Amino acid sequence: MTTTDDDRRPKYQRIADSLREAIQSGEYGPGDRLPGENELMAAHGVARMTARQALGVLKDEGLAEARKGAGVFVRSFRPLRRRGIQRLAQEQWGSGRSIWSADIENRTLVVDQVAVSEEAAPDQIEQVLGLGDEDTVCVRRRRFVLDGKPVLLATSYLPTSVVAGSAITQEDTGPGGTYARLAELGYKPVHFREEIRSRMPTKAEADQLSISAGTPVILICRTAFADEGRPVEINEMTLDAASYVLEYDFDA
Amino acid sequence: MTTTDDDRRPKYQRIADSLREAIQSGEYGPGDRLPGENELMAAHGVARMTARQALGVLKDEGLAEARKGAGVFVRSFRPLRRRGIQRLAQEQWGSGRSIWSADIENRTLVVDQVAVSEEAAPDQIEQVLGLGDEDTVCVRRRRFVLDGKPVLLATSYLPTSVVAGSAITQEDTGPGGTYARLAELGYKPVHFREEIRSRMPTKAEADQLSISAGTPVILICRTAFADEGRPVEINEMTLDAASYVLEYDFDA
């Protein structure tokens, strides 16, 4: 539980590190009570806010959970498992099932915010979708919530020339969602590319996902391609990193 | 460039956020000079160390770069692109090529640290590899450096019963690396599972990867399976998130 002075990172991070290492080494096992704010203040000579932030990091990472009036306890990490390849298989959306339902096993992931609009395409979107300067895109912005906690922001861009007049321009896209509608329009997605990055959230992202200090976001940019390599959708997703494990299964 | 008082995150994060938003909105374009330490100190009423940390976040994220004596400038994000599926295709390692070389395009990724040992298997590794309590594993720990900057820590676990006496137990595994040797031993990897998470680095990880404040790590846990679903290797990777984009390409 000691920290070194040559570490330039904030003190709450270093305290969180030492607690995390104690959890990972087994010093504190699942269900064990962690040192509380008062104990951390005494042990590290820090203010209450610093002790609280340190415990907040572990909660954000899914390593610890507060139990009202009892303290903070080590929990088993039980994130959402997002299967990148299986979940986009045609048997999912081909039979009218939402592509999201594969994520959640027995837990309920719901859209609590949705906004659909027609907009000028941002430069990068315009380039990837191969649009002209005058072309617009249908933009679908959604927030997904699990057990009341926002976990995912998703913004989809689709060429207006492809989706105009379809349910894709409505809040409710109907059975099978956007990909089933694209198939009906003659633009069935046959290939996907997912690009993944991670960084600290912006203030706006932290607010929208209820992320507190010390938790990064995972960014997934998915491009869906129809026949002949035609890109038909770009979906920019921002995930609370403490809530997700991404999984990709594939053959050599 | 304003920050709100209800934000509980460290001040350097909030300053970095406002600069990042100014970059993303185009207020500062590629090649533009960002406000320096003195300007940030005056604008936000913070100490030099705070201003430096704020600029450090943007450098760590690959958004900005210091030019000696001239200041800090916006740069184009140019991370390593790691193609998860293509790079594990058999034509790569089957022809004696290292699986890592697909990552680097024209840049040189080198191993600057390697250690190989025989050890008792950690509990989770033992379970996934289906080992008994007495079985040991061959552990290969490597650090990969790009242009002098450490970007990746990789620790592979393989059953001693499979790899004993082979080049896998040596520092240099020979042409095609571990997977070519596994194939020669009759355990050709035919299926892979990659699991991805992100969190802030531990102190040890931050030191080994030269990560400073405000940059997360990406964790990839890859399991390689031989015929009949037999797991033959687990590779736990820790990536500097500012240095990587992961890419997965697959058909519907």
Side-chain angles (χ1 to χ4, degrees):
Chain A
M1 297 274 292
T2 56
T3 54
T4 55
D5 289 334
D6 65 336
D7 187 339
R8 291 174 303 138
R9 293 180 310 149
K11 206 144 194 178
Y12 76 87
Q13 266 302 347
R14 293 183 264 158
I15 297 172
D17 280 356
S18 63
L19 287 171
R20 188 189 303 106
E21 280 158 29
I23 292 169
Q24 285 166 349
S25 73
E27 187 181 330
Y28 299 106
D32 283 357
R33 189 178 167 285
L34 289 172
E37 290 176 13
N38 291 331
E39 293 155 82
L40 292 176
M41 289 163 67
H44 297 275
V46 297
R48 181 170 304 279
M49 184 56 75
T50 304
R52 190 171 296 168
Q53 282 186 310
L55 291 169
V57 170
L58 301 179
K59 287 188 266 183
D60 292 339
E61 293 180 353
L63 286 172
E65 60 189 348
R67 296 186 199 153
K68 226 163 191 170
V72 177
F73 294 79
V74 180
R75 75 169 194 193
S76 337
F77 181 59
R78 187 171 169 269
L80 284 169
R81 179 165 294 270
R82 176 183 183 276
R83 297 195 172 84
I85 296 173
Q86 287 76 359
R87 58 193 286 288
L88 289 170
Q90 291 193 36
E91 60 259 38
Q92 297 285 331
W93 46 271
S95 61
R97 184 173 171 190
S98 163
I99 56 162
W100 294 107
S101 57
D103 287 3
I104 55 171
E105 295 160 14
N106 294 319
R107 299 193 278 168
T108 309
L109 192 65
V110 296
V111 174
D112 78 329
Q113 296 176 1
V114 57
V116 186
S117 56
E118 183 179 342
E119 302 178 18
D123 284 350
Q124 232 186 323
I125 301 293
E126 181 182 296
Q127 283 172 27
V128 175
L129 290 180
L131 302 178
D133 280 348
E134 306 297 309
D135 295 328
T136 62
V137 282
C138 170
V139 184
R140 302 182 51 81
R141 292 184 175 82
R142 289 147 296 162
R143 186 173 80 164
F144 292 79
V145 175
L146 178 77
D147 299 337
K149 162 77 176 74
V151 292
L152 166 66
L153 308 171
T155 303
S156 286
Y157 302 88
L158 303 106
T160 302
S161 59
V162 168
V163 303
S166 78
I168 292 171
T169 65
Q170 306 299 312
E171 289 195 4
D172 182 356
T173 52
T178 295
Y179 291 162
R181 296 297 84 70
L182 281 173
E184 291 162 4
L185 291 165
Y187 297 95
K188 184 167 81 167
V190 294
H191 187 80
F192 297 94
R193 173 179 302 149
E194 296 198 344
E195 294 168 281
I196 299 166
R197 288 180 58 194
S198 174
R199 58 164 169 70
M200 294 309 288
T202 63
K203 174 76 168 69
E205 291 166 343
D207 287 346
Q208 285 182 280
L209 290 171
S210 301
I211 291 179
S212 33
T215 302
V217 286
I218 295 173
L219 308 179
I220 304 177
C221 179
R222 181 176 67 218
T223 311
F225 297 89
D227 277 335
E228 298 173 4
R230 180 184 171 136
V232 288
E233 185 215 31
I234 297 170
N235 190 349
E236 294 184 334
M237 291 170 266
T238 306
L239 290 69
D240 173 0
S243 298
Y244 272 98
V245 167
L246 313 184
E247 180 179 316
Y248 294 88
D249 255 276
F250 51 93
D251 292 329
Chain B
M1 298 276 289
T2 56
T3 55
T4 55
D5 289 334
D6 64 335
D7 187 338
R8 292 173 304 136
R9 295 179 311 149
K11 204 145 195 178
Y12 76 88
Q13 265 305 346
R14 291 183 265 158
I15 298 173
D17 280 357
S18 64
L19 287 171
R20 188 191 301 108
E21 280 158 29
I23 293 170
Q24 286 166 348
S25 73
E27 187 182 330
Y28 299 106
D32 283 356
R33 189 178 167 285
L34 290 172
E37 290 176 13
N38 291 331
E39 293 155 82
L40 293 176
M41 288 162 68
H44 296 276
V46 296
R48 181 170 302 279
M49 183 57 75
T50 304
R52 191 172 295 168
Q53 283 186 311
L55 292 169
V57 169
L58 300 179
K59 287 189 266 183
D60 292 340
E61 292 180 356
L63 286 172
E65 62 189 345
R67 295 183 199 155
K68 227 161 189 171
V72 177
F73 294 80
V74 180
R75 75 169 195 192
S76 337
F77 182 58
R78 187 170 169 268
L80 283 170
R81 181 165 291 271
R82 177 185 183 274
R83 298 197 170 84
I85 295 174
Q86 286 76 358
R87 58 193 288 287
L88 289 170
Q90 291 192 35
E91 60 260 39
Q92 298 283 332
W93 46 271
S95 61
R97 185 174 170 190
S98 163
I99 56 163
W100 294 109
S101 57
D103 286 5
I104 55 171
E105 295 161 13
N106 293 320
R107 299 192 281 167
T108 310
L109 191 65
V110 295
V111 174
D112 77 332
Q113 296 176 1
V114 56
V116 186
S117 56
E118 184 179 341
E119 301 177 18
D123 284 349
Q124 232 185 325
I125 300 294
E126 182 182 297
Q127 283 173 25
V128 175
L129 291 179
L131 302 178
D133 280 347
E134 306 298 308
D135 295 328
T136 61
V137 282
C138 170
V139 184
R140 302 182 51 82
R141 293 184 174 83
R142 288 147 297 163
R143 186 173 80 163
F144 293 79
V145 175
L146 177 78
D147 299 336
K149 162 77 175 72
V151 292
L152 166 66
L153 308 172
T155 303
S156 287
Y157 301 88
L158 303 106
T160 303
S161 59
V162 168
V163 301
S166 78
I168 292 171
T169 64
Q170 307 299 312
E171 289 195 3
D172 181 357
T173 52
T178 295
Y179 291 162
R181 298 295 85 71
L182 280 172
E184 291 162 5
L185 291 165
Y187 296 96
K188 184 168 82 168
V190 295
H191 186 80
F192 297 94
R193 174 179 302 150
E194 296 199 344
E195 293 168 281
I196 299 166
R197 288 180 59 194
S198 174
R199 57 163 169 73
M200 293 309 287
T202 63
K203 174 76 168 69
E205 292 165 343
D207 288 347
Q208 286 183 280
L209 290 171
S210 300
I211 292 179
S212 34
T215 302
V217 287
I218 295 173
L219 308 180
I220 304 177
C221 180
R222 181 176 67 220
T223 310
F225 297 89
D227 277 335
E228 297 173 6
R230 179 182 172 140
V232 289
E233 185 215 32
I234 297 169
N235 189 351
E236 295 183 335
M237 290 169 268
T238 306
L239 290 69
D240 173 2
S243 298
Y244 274 97
V245 167
L246 314 183
E247 180 179 316
Y248 294 89
D249 255 277
F250 50 93
D251 292 330

